[in-house]
Amino acid sequence: MGKVTPFLMFQEGNAEEAMNFYTSIIEDSHITSIVRYGANESGDEGTVMKAAFSLKGQEFMCIDSNVKHQFSFTPSFSIYITCDSEEEINNLYQTLIDGGQALMPIGAYGFSKRFGWLNDRFGISWQLNLS
């Protein structure tokens, strides 16, 4: 068996925008590869057929789906990040929540002195915790 890689399917043609956003706000992150649909292929020309990116060493794959499904992302799968400082968690939360939705507003909870859970503008769920 090879490695296990989280796979994100975007239905609005914004996989590349999401990758660019995530890799710009999380240090030590980068886009590894992008393959786009060409003319006369099964997806919209220029959209992401298959891509890979890394956030702090965790690899992800993603696509732009050319098929509209009756489902999308769900908060039951989230990207969990442990932050090193209050400034880091606050900045990351504020950046990710823009255009998104709070699931658990950033604050103190019994299990954490500073925690926040949100869906970003692309529908991806994030849990942010202060170490």
Side-chain angles (χ1 to χ4, degrees):
M1 177 184 296
K3 64 184 173 185
V4 175
T5 306
F7 188 95
L8 306 173
M9 180 185 69
F10 293 87
Q11 295 194 68
E12 303 298 321
N14 52 13
E16 189 168 3
E17 180 185 356
M19 286 188 300
N20 284 325
F21 177 60
Y22 301 149
T23 57
S24 74
I25 64 170
I26 298 174
E27 90 179 28
D28 300 326
S29 301
H30 62 277
I31 295 172
T32 309
S33 65
I34 301 176
V35 177
R36 294 179 181 80
Y37 287 104
N40 303 313
E41 292 186 318
S42 62
D44 293 338
E45 186 174 358
T47 62
V48 175
M49 179 189 298
K50 179 178 151 184
F53 63 103
S54 173
L55 303 177
K56 296 292 272 186
Q58 173 62 57
E59 292 184 24
F60 292 82
M61 292 178 63
C62 68
I63 62 169
D64 283 319
S65 178
N66 59 332
V67 176
K68 297 300 177 205
H69 299 277
Q70 297 300 313
F71 55 86
S72 186
F73 300 114
T74 170
S76 64
F77 178 87
S78 59
I79 300 171
Y80 188 96
I81 297 179
T82 302
C83 298
D84 294 329
S85 69
E86 283 199 38
E87 180 182 10
E88 183 179 48
I89 193 171
N90 292 341
N91 289 340
L92 193 53
Y93 187 91
Q94 290 307 314
T95 302
L96 287 167
I97 195 74
D98 186 25
Q101 168 192 19
L103 301 175
M104 290 178 74
I106 196 162
Y109 294 91
F111 57 87
S112 175
K113 62 183 176 182
R114 193 125 184 102
F115 176 85
W117 193 348
L118 62 98
N119 286 342
D120 69 20
R121 68 180 186 244
F122 303 106
I124 301 294
S125 182
W126 298 80
Q127 293 187 62
L128 308 176
N129 189 47
L130 181 60
S131 60

